[in-house]
Amino acid sequence: MAVSRRDVDVAGLVDRARGGEPRAVARLISLVENDSPVLREVAAALAPHGGHAQVVGLTGSPGVGKSTSTSALVTALRAADKRVGVLAVDPSSPFSGGALLGDRVRMQDHATDDGVFIRSMASRGQLGGLSAAVPQALRVLDATGCDVVLVETVGVGQAEVEIASLADTTLLVVAPGFGDGIQAAKAGIIEIADIFVVNKADRDGADQVVRDLRYMQSLGGKHSTAGAWRPPIVKTVAARAEGVDDVIAAIEKHRGWMEEHGELDRRRRIRAAAEIEAIALGTVRQKFAEVHGSTALDTAAGRVVAGSTDPYTAAEELVASL
Ligand code: GDP
């Protein structure tokens, strides 16, 4: 989308968004999502205001009740007067902002509430990973006053691990009848969960799922070392909002534990480092594309072919010249 720098009053937008105007928040997210020329200006304007929101990721197989749980969590958080952001992310789809996801997220109840901001992002990044727009959208929601941002994944597999890397606290939602325990263990998802939510506790088999999870926890892993956070297992019936307060209590407890142990800072540093690295590599890649086909690269290639230099030295010289 061609947005010229002059068309956007970034400072005004940020002020309005921070004042609670949902349209201004939406506009800021669109700007970061579309890699607008004002992206850097937006990022700089938001930077001093970040770090407040707790980012909570919800992952789990399709059908376990993530969407229903997200909606129930929003209701409970609103009752506690928290400002809430919801990002529904489908990293398996190249399409973004679509109505498909918007419909899927069971958020009609919250549509008229100015204290809730809901956005679907279905973007997969050019390099196969999660789109760089997702962390930037999180920064927008954080800096514009959300107390909690719920990130719900729609995809499966690797996407869940990627979402976990964006969250302060990761909820793994499982339900009876999904063979989830075993699947999750295979995918390494057990390791990334900070809280296990056994949803559909009104169904037969929920207690067995709890036992399976306990058994898997007893086998060890990073959570079994002394002083480590031991992920609680919380049963819910999201469809009837049962157990949701226990989930919120667990989320708060996890935040307290992270703060006490320096873990929140550690996770955020890892995330920021990954973000910086991705942006830096993107810049290098772009600069490289500019020299590609240029005489500098061609000359270097000729020297490597002639044996007067080696590819490592040539690459080093080229990177230094970027
Ligand atoms: P998602 O794909 O993980 O987001 O799952 P959804 O939230 O779309 O829920 C899948 C289905 O399970 C829907 O038909 C929900 O109404 C139903 N569901 C959600 N929570 C519960 C629950 O606690 N008990 C029962 N029995 N059904 C539920």
Side-chain angles (χ1 to χ4, degrees):
M1 197 167 65
V3 182
S4 93
R5 218 168 272 261
R6 247 170 292 140
D7 289 335
V8 189
D9 167 20
V10 171
L13 257 185
V14 169
D15 278 350
R16 295 205 328 267
R18 286 175 49 74
E21 205 181 293
R23 286 180 58 120
V25 178
R27 186 78 209 286
L28 285 173
I29 294 184
S30 295
L31 290 173
V32 300
E33 205 170 29
N34 296 322
D35 212 356
S36 143
V38 294
L39 173 63
R40 291 179 67 160
E41 209 182 317
V42 171
L46 295 175
H49 306 296
H52 170 72
Q54 185 173 2
V55 180
V56 178
L58 285 95
T59 71
S61 304
V64 293
K66 291 183 299 296
S67 194
T68 313
S69 301
T70 301
S71 183
L73 282 167
V74 170
T75 304
L77 289 163
R78 289 300 295 143
D81 214 22
K82 306 268 193 213
R83 246 172 104 170
V84 188
V86 178
L87 281 185
V89 181
D90 181 357
S92 62
S93 162
F95 305 107
S96 205
L100 260 179
L101 268 172
D103 291 347
R104 194 190 160 284
V105 184
R106 287 166 179 73
M107 288 294 162
Q108 292 87 341
D109 296 353
H110 311 292
T112 57
D113 181 348
D114 270 3
V116 183
F117 185 89
I118 299 158
R119 179 78 165 221
S120 47
M121 301 184 81
S123 42
R124 188 120 193 111
Q126 290 174 336
L127 300 172
L130 263 192
S131 160
V134 178
Q136 300 316 316
L138 282 174
R139 288 191 179 281
V140 171
L141 292 173
D142 178 19
T144 56
C146 284
D147 299 299
V148 179
V149 181
L150 303 169
V151 185
E152 184 198 334
T153 34
V154 179
V156 274
Q158 186 55 28
E160 302 184 319
V161 179
E162 288 174 53
I163 290 293
S165 71
L166 294 173
D168 297 320
T169 300
T170 298
L171 271 52
L172 175 64
V173 187
V174 296
F178 282 80
D180 265 319
I182 299 139
Q183 226 175 302
K186 268 195 202 147
I189 288 164
I190 290 278
E191 285 287 303
I192 57 162
D194 299 304
I195 297 166
F196 294 107
V197 177
V198 178
N199 189 40
K200 305 197 186 184
D202 53 328
R203 295 231 176 128
D204 286 346
D207 287 324
Q208 187 57 47
V209 175
V210 172
R211 280 195 292 275
D212 289 349
L213 287 172
R214 286 227 177 90
Y215 174 68
M216 264 181 256
Q217 278 186 318
S218 75
L219 296 178
K222 74 172 174 151
H223 300 299
S224 59
T225 51
W229 169 258
R230 192 176 167 82
I233 302 170
V234 185
K235 283 203 286 183
T236 60
V237 184
R240 299 201 298 257
E242 286 171 27
V244 174
D245 288 341
D246 297 335
V247 177
I248 289 181
I251 291 170
E252 280 168 5
K253 195 169 170 196
H254 184 240
R255 172 148 191 161
W257 182 89
M258 284 193 297
E259 277 170 348
E260 199 180 313
H261 291 81
E263 178 69 8
L264 190 61
D265 187 56
R266 194 187 72 87
R267 288 187 182 195
R268 289 180 173 182
R269 277 168 178 262
I270 290 172
R271 251 148 67 194
E275 241 179 291
I276 297 166
E277 184 184 315
I279 293 166
L281 290 179
T283 308
V284 170
R285 199 168 282 118
Q286 197 183 335
K287 288 203 170 159
F288 196 83
E290 284 160 19
V291 297
H292 206 62
S294 74
T295 49
L297 182 57
D298 192 47
T299 307
R303 289 175 59 221
V304 169
V305 170
S308 61
T309 189
D310 65 278
Y312 288 89
T313 307
E316 211 168 83
E317 284 167 6
L318 197 65
V319 170
S321 76
L322 292 179

